[in-house]
Amino acid sequence: MHLPDVDWEVTRPFWDGCRRRELRVPRCRCGTYVWYPQPRCPTCRGREISWVRVSGKATLFTWTKVYRAFLPGYRPPFVTALVELVEDPKLRLATYLRGVEDRKLSLGLPLEVDFEEAEAGIVLPVFRPAE
Ligand SMILES: [Zn+2]
């Protein structure tokens, strides 16, 4: 399975949060969520950015059901998705959907984060239908 580099300093707080079952994203002092993580805020160009915990609630922006995996270690079928976090429509995470029947897949479907341990102790955020 193709796994992220959880030790890269730019994204390490994200993966450390996942290990604690917390979804964390960088936020500038001016209030802008800085996603994808970068050293300067795209709104005010400031550098006072800290990682904050977000709710883990999201809506479905788009998805693809994969029937044939091209890399070893993946077990199709599975659904990959872009989800929009409720804190800001510009906060879109590439992730996997779990526990959604095909007929229920629809734009704007309410979702919430869950965490799965992959190999090598790496914890990945995935999304399920909100209860
Ligand atoms: Zn800013």
Side-chain angles (χ1 to χ4, degrees):
M1 192 174 184
H2 191 75
L3 291 168
D5 177 2
V6 297
D7 291 322
W8 185 35
E9 66 180 280
V10 175
T11 55
R12 189 168 49 212
F14 179 84
W15 300 111
D16 287 348
C18 288
R19 264 198 297 277
R20 294 192 302 267
R21 270 61 180 172
E22 295 175 359
L23 196 61
R24 292 183 176 271
V25 296
R27 188 178 193 197
C28 176
R29 208 176 104 172
C30 78
T32 302
Y33 290 100
V34 183
W35 192 257
Y36 192 77
Q38 51 197 283
R40 279 183 176 268
C41 171
T43 301
C44 74
R45 305 302 294 158
R47 291 180 182 269
E48 288 187 60
I49 296 167
S50 53
W51 287 76
V52 297
R53 188 176 182 181
V54 290
S55 65
K57 296 191 181 309
T59 54
L60 184 54
F61 180 74
T62 189
W63 73 92
T64 297
K65 188 159 187 180
V66 178
Y67 291 94
R68 181 176 173 190
F70 291 93
L71 293 168
Y74 292 85
R75 286 188 304 264
F78 56 87
V79 179
T80 63
L82 265 187
V83 303
E84 208 168 82
L85 301 185
V86 295
E87 281 78 8
D88 186 335
K90 287 185 232 157
L91 268 175
R92 289 184 190 147
L93 256 60
T95 183
Y96 296 100
L97 290 193
R98 305 293 193 218
V100 187
E101 296 168 48
D102 287 357
R103 65 187 176 83
K104 296 207 170 152
L105 285 166
S106 62
L107 296 179
L109 178 72
L111 302 165
E112 60 191 8
V113 73
D114 193 8
F115 296 92
E116 287 182 358
E117 190 154 346
E119 55 193 85
I122 295 172
V123 177
L124 302 174
V126 299
F127 281 77
R128 301 181 181 279
E131 292 183 355

